[in-house]
Amino acid sequence: MIRIRARASQKRIAEEAGVSQSTVSLVLAGRDISSKETQKKVLATAERLKYRPNLLVQGIQTGKTKMIGVMAPPFDFYWSEILYGIHDVLAAADHVPITLWTAHTGGGPRGRGIPGTSELEQIHRLLDRRVDGVILWPPFAQLFSNHIQEFISRDMPVVTIDHRLPPEFKADCVGSDEAAGGRMVAEYLYSLGHRRIGHLAGPAVSTWAVARRNAFEKSLSKMDDAQCITLEAPSGDVALGIHQARRLLSLSDRPTAIFAASDLYAKVVYKAAAELKLRIPEDISVVGFADDDFSREMTPPLTTVHQPAYEIGQRAAEVVLGRSMGLIRDRQPVVEELEVMMVTRNSCLER
């Protein structure tokens, strides 16, 4: 016969310790009481009974569930590092992330034909669990523009990563210094002697892609004899950018270097170059953006702009906690852009 052990409660602790339930409540809440002996007795009884507090009840009492919605998948190394940063900060603050997304994306063996859950359904899953705030990755931030009032109307903190929502959404944002990265790439390629440079840009719906592109093109426009040829990849799967990569590399006056909007787009450029029998870096130099784990293993290893992914995740979590706990009171959106740096490898040559 299976015996089911009764769950320890404050009432049971009070009965076995021979004290009132209000005394147990005060002791377990860390409040000082007159008798140290009573305090030790209550704590010893709670330990013996394996007592754990009911956080659902505490959430009802305090209005805080200590749960944060994180709407970002482990898309690749960069986003996995961001999720690690979010997790570590929330765990250290005794909070729990609820991680949701609408469909499986990115590399790996997961099926791609499985219909995704709608954005509104996932929003309601979080709201129904009374999360204290949400963190969104760029595609969600874009899609949720239609539904963001679901959060804002409840005065719920919203922090986006790598994508800035319009000011009226009152959402905070943490990301990289995209403009600095775009300038770094322009200056680096120009210093190597490249004057005709192509840019495989990310889709304009993403503010990170627009910021990188604008800074890159503006920097080149100020350099003598520099010319920029930009083609924008379509929204959706990065692999769709192969058509723009082929066009850039098939021009009669082909660029001598390509700035890919991300390391994933750089992989697309590598693929197009291989199809066209072009050597990297002898025939075409390539620079990416992110410093994903695979970038150093590409052939040749990819020159790229390093983004501090783990630190971005940490700061996003700190900001959402700051809002939730009332530590950040200014209603102006927080916008933080963490420092990036150039990582030179073997995918570029002097001209």
Side-chain angles (χ1 to χ4, degrees), residues 299-322:
T299 306
L302 179 67
T303 292
T304 187
V305 176
H306 174 78
Q307 294 177 273
Y310 181 78
E311 291 79 3
I312 289 172
Q314 286 181 306
R315 284 302 299 145
E318 289 167 356
V319 171
V320 80
L321 287 177

Side-chain angles (χ1 to χ4, degrees), residues 158-178:
V158 175
V159 178
T160 62
I161 295 179
D162 288 351
H163 183 81
R164 293 181 64 175
L165 289 168
E168 57 266 27
F169 291 121
K170 299 179 181 178
D172 301 313
C173 178
V174 178
S176 304
D177 191 340
E178 311 289 5

Side-chain angles (χ1 to χ4, degrees), residues 56-91:
L56 293 177
V57 173
Q58 287 186 8
I60 293 172
Q61 294 171 340
T62 64
K64 295 292 183 182
T65 62
K66 291 192 173 183
M67 293 189 291
I68 300 295
V70 181
M71 309 192 91
F75 179 76
D76 57 13
F77 173 78
Y78 174 71
W79 280 97
S80 294
E81 286 295 294
I82 286 176
L83 289 172
Y84 276 122
I86 292 172
H87 169 277
D88 290 353
V89 168
L90 293 183

Side-chain angles (χ1 to χ4, degrees), residues 44-336:
T45 304
E47 175 66 21
R48 177 169 55 80
L49 295 176
K50 309 296 183 186
Y51 172 78
R52 297 293 301 168
N54 190 327
L55 296 182
L56 293 177
V57 173
Q58 287 186 8
I60 293 172
Q61 294 171 340
T62 64
K64 295 292 183 182
T65 62
K66 291 192 173 183
M67 293 189 291
I68 300 295
V70 181
M71 309 192 91
F75 179 76
D76 57 13
F77 173 78
Y78 174 71
W79 280 97
S80 294
E81 286 295 294
I82 286 176
L83 289 172
Y84 276 122
I86 292 172
H87 169 277
D88 290 353
V89 168
L90 293 183
D94 194 25
H95 281 61
V96 174
I98 300 181
T99 308
L100 292 175
W101 53 86
T102 54
H104 292 321
T105 55
R110 300 171 301 280
R112 298 295 181 272
I114 303 173
T117 306
S118 78
E119 300 83 38
L120 192 56
E121 284 181 287
Q122 298 294 51
I123 289 175
H124 286 160
R125 281 196 173 98
L126 295 178
L127 294 176
D128 293 346
R129 285 159 178 80
R130 302 299 189 267
V131 294
D132 296 334
V134 291
I135 300 173
L136 309 177
W137 84 317
F140 280 123
Q142 297 156 21
L143 292 169
F144 290 166
S145 292
N146 295 328
H147 308 305
I148 204 73
Q149 289 304 320
E150 296 283 339
F151 296 129
I152 301 301
S153 63
R154 293 167 173 82
D155 199 29
M156 182 177 294
V158 175
V159 178
T160 62
I161 295 179
D162 288 351
H163 183 81
R164 293 181 64 175
L165 289 168
E168 57 266 27
F169 291 121
K170 299 179 181 178
D172 301 313
C173 178
V174 178
S176 304
D177 191 340
E178 311 289 5
R183 290 191 295 269
M184 285 179 188
V185 176
E187 292 165 1
Y188 175 70
L189 291 175
Y190 190 83
S191 72
L192 292 180
H194 295 280
R195 297 296 180 265
R196 183 172 171 80
I197 304 171
H199 179 36
L200 178 57
V205 293
S206 302
T207 62
W208 61 263
V210 173
R212 292 175 196 179
R213 173 179 179 171
N214 288 345
F216 180 70
E217 293 178 338
K218 185 175 180 179
S219 293
L220 287 182
S221 70
K222 297 177 181 179
M223 299 175 183
D224 292 340
D225 302 326
Q227 182 181 8
C228 182
I229 307 95
T230 298
L231 292 180
E232 181 182 319
S235 298
D237 194 326
V238 172
L240 297 174
I242 189 67
H243 303 292
Q244 286 72 28
R246 288 172 182 147
R247 286 173 57 193
L248 281 172
L249 297 179
S250 299
L251 293 171
S252 57
D253 191 7
R254 186 179 63 238
T256 61
I258 300 289
F259 168 36
S262 70
D263 289 356
L264 289 171
Y265 282 118
K267 288 181 72 172
V268 172
V269 173
Y270 272 49
K271 180 180 179 181
E275 291 175 356
L276 297 169
K277 303 295 190 292
L278 296 174
R279 299 167 300 163
I280 300 172
E282 291 83 1
D283 299 319
I284 186 79
S285 292
V286 181
V287 178
F289 204 113
D291 197 19
D292 267 315
D293 57 340
F294 62 79
S295 62
R296 69 196 66 192
E297 298 172 1
M298 294 171 68
T299 306
L302 179 67
T303 292
T304 187
V305 176
H306 174 78
Q307 294 177 273
Y310 181 78
E311 291 79 3
I312 289 172
Q314 286 181 306
R315 284 302 299 145
E318 289 167 356
V319 171
V320 80
L321 287 177
R323 289 289 189 195
S324 171
M325 298 166 70
L327 303 176
I328 302 175
R329 299 181 182 276
D330 187 352
R331 290 315 304 158
Q332 291 300 313
V334 172
V335 178
E336 294 199 11

